[in-house]
Amino acid sequence: MKFLHTSDWHLGRSFHRVNLLAAQAAFIDHLVGAAREHEVDAVLVAGDVYDRAVPPLPAVELYDQALHRLADLGVPTVMISGNHDSARRLGVGAGLIGRAGIHLRTDPAGCADPVVLADVHGEVALYGLPYLEPALVKDEFGAGKVSHEAVLGAAMDRIRADLDGRAPGTRSVVLAHAFVTGGQASDSERDITVGGVEAVPAAVFDGVDYAALGHLHGCQTINERVRYSGSPLAYSFSEADHRKSMWLIELGAVGEIVRAERLDTPVPRRLARLRGRLDALLEDPAHTPYEDCWVEVTLTDPVRPEDPMAKLAVRFPHTLALGFDPEGREEDGGTSYAQRLKGRSDQEIAEDFVSHVRGGGFADEAERAVLQGAFDEVRADDSRQETHR
């Protein structure tokens, strides 16, 4: 049985103010064409269909077109909600839409109710496990604590229990939206840290034949049976070196991975990250291949040049981001506010603030726990607000 595994469409997202709707539409064309060409048995969409809980109307229209086109192909689609989606909104009409072969799984309580497909070797149960906000679903799953590992583990226990009650030899696939240990993040994923921990071990998915993951934007293999498809488009310059693709997965007669092939997705424009003095960037022939790219530039001139963006645009008309890192500044001990924050979590920034206002010393264990609890509650409250808007 063959599947196309994709995720993190983020319909409605822009790239440094560049509207990506046409590029996202080109991806949908590619997805439908690949499903037809490879005669897949199902399309798996592992969350973050939209970029935000209340998406713009053009994004909703594109989503609607995608569902109609997949339904017209007669290819079953299993889709879960991610941490960017409003699960309630995405799941509206799920029962009716399911009759057309589009199976939306947005309610955590239904995670052990699979879509069951069959081929000559028997049945395959496809379980949709939507993004689980630990503080909101802990009681539903009877998890011992508020953590990603606890709620995912409890949900997977339900799935394994359902699978154990099915005919011997039933193969299984799980769609999930999570940060799994070993995965490589980029700058464009939203932080889902809870209690200071964001990653869950891959072993939480033991017992199923394939785990189709979403959330991380780089296509990657955690192990043979646990994979991220990554986003079909680049959503930050940190993804400049990504090869954007989908997984074509084929399960054999006893659930073995017979085939795992990456199918490249369309690239609207290449990304480039350039660094150096303005004159060198404008004159060096080595930069010629990047003239038609979307470009992020970091200038290292000791003194900020006059009107650098206009000058860069002459050679690099698609320059979208400009930063400054003057030569020798590190020796002077100076760094920009953005640089000091880069790569740091909200928790770390808050702890630094505590140290700053008290004039030295680090936050102690009790203070760190209070800060982390506050961040967890704010994120959980944001999820509650999105649910009830």
Side-chain angles (χ1 to χ4, degrees), residues 19 79 99 108 155 206 221 228 242-243 262 301 319 353:
N19 189 315
M79 179 181 294
R99 298 179 187 177
D206 285 354
T221 300
Y228 283 98
H242 284 192
R243 173 189 165 195
R262 291 179 67 178
D301 301 71
T319 302
F353 177 74

Side-chain angles (χ1 to χ4, degrees), residues 7 12 18 56 63 87 130 137 160 163 180 203 219 253 262 265 270 297 308 378:
S7 73
V18 174
Y63 166 76
V137 301
R160 282 185 283 262
L163 191 57
V180 175
C219 181
R262 291 179 67 178
T265 54
R270 292 186 304 119
V297 173
V378 166

Side-chain angles (χ1 to χ4, degrees), residues 152-175:
L152 268 173
M156 284 300 303
D157 286 343
R158 286 192 185 182
I159 288 171
R160 282 185 283 262
D162 179 83
L163 191 57
D164 287 344
R166 295 185 176 274
T170 298
R171 291 159 290 166
S172 57
V173 173
V174 168
L175 289 76

Side-chain angles (χ1 to χ4, degrees), residues 134 215 232 362:
H215 179 58
F362 298 103

Side-chain angles (χ1 to χ4, degrees), residues 2-5 38 40 246-250 259-263:
K2 287 187 289 187
F3 309 101
L4 269 183
H5 166 200
H38 295 281
V40 300
M246 305 178 288
W247 284 112
L248 177 62
I249 300 293
E250 186 171 355
R259 180 183 187 184
E261 178 183 350
R262 291 179 67 178
L263 305 181

